[in-house]
Amino acid sequence: MRKQTVRDIEIERQRVLVRVDFNVPLDEGGVILDDLRIRSALPTIQYLREQGAKVILCAHLGRPKGKIVESLRLAPIARRLAELQNAPVASAPDCIGAEVEAAVAALGEGEVLLLENLRFHPEEEANDPAFARQLAALADLYVNDAFGAAHRAHASTEGVARLLPAVAGLLMEKETAYLSRIVAEPERPLGAIIGGAKMADKMGVLRALLAKTNVLIIGGGMANTFLKAQGHAVGDSLVEDGQLEAARAVIDEAAQRNCRLLLPIDVVVADRFAADARHKTVPAGQVPEGWRILDVGDRSIATYSEALRSCRTVVWNGPLGVAEFPQFARGSATLARFLAGLDAVTIVGGGETAAMVRETGLAGRFDHISTGGGAFLQYLEGRELPGIAALRDG
Ligand code: ADP
Ligand code: MG
């Protein structure tokens, strides 16, 4: 469903509460490892500032579970945002209450205030109505630009949207514009690559894609369960025995639906789960006892590439191997290079997949790198995301 965006409402001089997704990875010292999510929020913030809004940003970071956790304060994020937008960002000591109200009252037009981590209050995740009212009291309008948090019905994503005129930000608009190109009327052939570790997490999206895609590629740890379901020996590979039946059902359904389903035909096996493990490439059915699959082999990538070559739209979630270990990142990196050069709409999503693609330096050659993990998967499943549903219809 189409939603109104910041372009559809009068913003001048208004106090605008903007839910952003600043849930960035930090190292142990609190240094921001990847600021994609902060950068991705810049167009909306810039637009609102240019329109003369008083911009009140709210966000969560990590899982403080309703308590103040010093290492999860948003001050370092405010500093990075100030650098990126080349203009000051004030930090509030909390996200609700008298001090915050005073900080909002002091905001000038075009100025930016970042509220403290929403999840320091248990009421945020509980979608507590009184907490949502306190957030709403800070502003005249609400903008949701936090696509990555839109699958959560929390006070700052859903509750507050019921209390103020609520519209989508430019990132939210961009995410849904790209992802709807897969969900609704994709340019065909449509290809999907699903990898990653846990099949249980991906069953929903697999089933949804099965009904839509012309080519469906399964790689990563997930593929092991499919290989085992086909009767292959998988050694000590990660396998979800509880999903063997589901894997067989996916294989059958693909055949019925004329969806070309591709599993690895060769695999890189290691003698242990470690970055420096001994490794070799073997046919998918010949994993030696005591060895485990940590990547797909070159012949698999060649087959995948051949099948994807004619696709006009390709979506990818989940690394094809244990890409954190450089030795086992080869399959994913080779596929990333292939997709970067493909004449198709290319969309990548999922925290680890997006990070891996950015590591290859090829991110700019993909059409869209989603900031969403769970939200990305649920959107592809065709589910309604509560943070989007609560916004004004366009
Ligand atoms: P995303 O965050 O992009 O959605 P996932 O979380 O689903 O991706 O999957 C990423 C994880 O999958 C990584 O931790 C990676 O090590 C793991 N993985 C991929 N292939 C294998 C494999 N063959 N065996 C074990 N783990 C794997
Ligand atoms: Mg992940």
Side-chain angles (χ1 to χ4, degrees):
M1 189 186 289
R2 300 213 126 269
K3 292 294 179 180
Q4 287 189 21
T5 75
V6 283
R7 292 200 197 84
D8 298 315
I9 50 165
E10 194 54 59
I11 282 163
E12 213 183 311
R13 284 192 284 278
Q14 303 287 297
R15 296 169 301 161
V16 184
L17 180 69
V18 189
R19 178 55 158 103
V20 286
D21 179 7
F22 285 170
N23 191 26
V24 294
L26 303 173
D27 74 4
E28 275 121 63
V31 175
I32 297 168
L33 293 173
D34 180 354
D35 62 6
L36 173 79
R37 284 176 160 177
I38 306 175
R39 288 173 187 275
S40 300
L42 291 173
T44 297
I45 299 169
Q46 186 62 28
Y47 178 85
L48 294 171
R49 293 180 62 219
E50 282 167 10
Q51 299 287 311
K54 301 170 181 177
V55 181
I56 308 156
L57 303 174
C58 64
H60 80 276
L61 177 63
R63 298 175 190 274
K65 306 227 171 91
K67 291 197 194 62
I68 294 174
V69 175
E70 290 302 327
S71 60
L72 295 177
R73 288 200 180 273
L74 297 188
I77 291 177
R79 284 195 291 275
R80 178 64 62 91
L81 175 60
E83 276 166 34
L84 291 172
Q85 69 169 16
N86 205 9
V89 175
S91 283
D94 198 347
C95 59
I96 52 165
E99 272 188 273
V100 177
E101 283 160 25
V104 170
L107 266 186
E109 288 165 27
E111 291 181 356
V112 179
L113 172 70
L114 175 61
L115 305 185
E116 188 50 284
N117 195 337
L118 291 156
R119 292 195 186 170
F120 287 176
H121 292 267
E123 295 87 351
E124 158 67 356
E125 290 184 75
N127 199 1
D128 177 77
F131 181 76
R133 274 197 299 278
Q134 283 182 281
L135 288 173
L138 300 172
D140 308 301
L141 304 172
Y142 170 77
V143 172
N144 192 348
D145 212 24
F147 176 73
H151 58 315
R152 307 287 187 207
H154 293 169
S156 70
T157 59
E158 204 272 347
V160 71
R162 307 274 175 206
L163 304 171
L164 290 172
V167 299
L170 301 175
L171 174 62
M172 185 70 92
E173 181 186 35
K174 179 172 178 232
E175 290 273 10
T176 54
Y178 272 106
L179 301 193
S180 65
R181 292 172 80 155
I182 301 161
V183 178
E185 295 171 39
E187 215 188 311
R188 293 183 178 279
L190 169 64
I193 305 130
I194 301 292
K198 280 188 74 187
M199 201 174 144
D201 294 348
K202 306 276 169 91
M203 264 328 279
V205 82
L206 261 185
R207 300 209 72 92
L209 289 172
L210 206 49
K212 270 204 176 74
T213 50
N214 304 97
V215 177
L216 180 58
I217 289 168
I218 299 180
M222 272 197 11
N224 304 340
T225 303
F226 281 85
L227 292 173
K228 184 166 178 182
Q230 288 184 319
H232 290 311
V234 291
D236 284 354
S237 301
L238 171 88
V239 167
E240 288 161 88
D241 283 311
Q243 298 285 341
L244 289 168
E245 218 24 73
R248 277 183 213 109
V250 167
I251 293 169
D252 291 346
E253 199 177 329
Q256 278 161 28
R257 286 186 179 271
N258 244 334
C259 165
R260 191 168 166 209
L261 180 75
L262 296 178
L263 292 167
I265 53 174
D266 61 343
V267 289
V268 180
V269 294
D271 61 351
R272 59 206 168 91
F273 187 88
D276 60 350
R278 265 205 308 151
H279 62 96
K280 57 188 177 185
T281 301
V282 298
Q286 294 173 27
V287 179
E289 234 175 276
W291 291 62
R292 70 215 61 214
I293 300 169
L294 293 191
D295 198 5
V296 298
D298 289 346
R299 284 206 297 129
S300 299
I301 294 292
T303 318
Y304 295 171
S305 304
E306 204 39 58
L308 293 169
R309 196 173 299 282
S310 64
C311 286
R312 304 293 302 152
T313 311
V314 179
V315 60
W316 181 11
N317 168 262
L320 298 181
V322 182
E324 305 89 302
F325 299 160
Q327 299 208 91
F328 305 106
R330 179 185 164 96
S332 300
T334 311
L335 182 71
R337 275 197 298 280
F338 172 78
L339 291 177
L342 190 68
D343 181 21
V345 175
T346 48
I347 297 169
V348 173
E352 271 137 310
T353 318
M356 186 270 301
V357 167
R358 283 202 300 287
E359 208 128 289
T360 62
L362 299 166
R365 294 172 60 193
F366 284 75
D367 287 280
H368 184 60
I369 310 272
S370 178
T371 55
F376 172 83
L377 292 174
Q378 289 192 19
Y379 195 98
L380 290 188
E381 277 178 46
R383 279 157 71 170
E384 185 178 72
L385 308 189
I388 298 176
L391 304 176
R392 275 190 178 175
D393 294 330

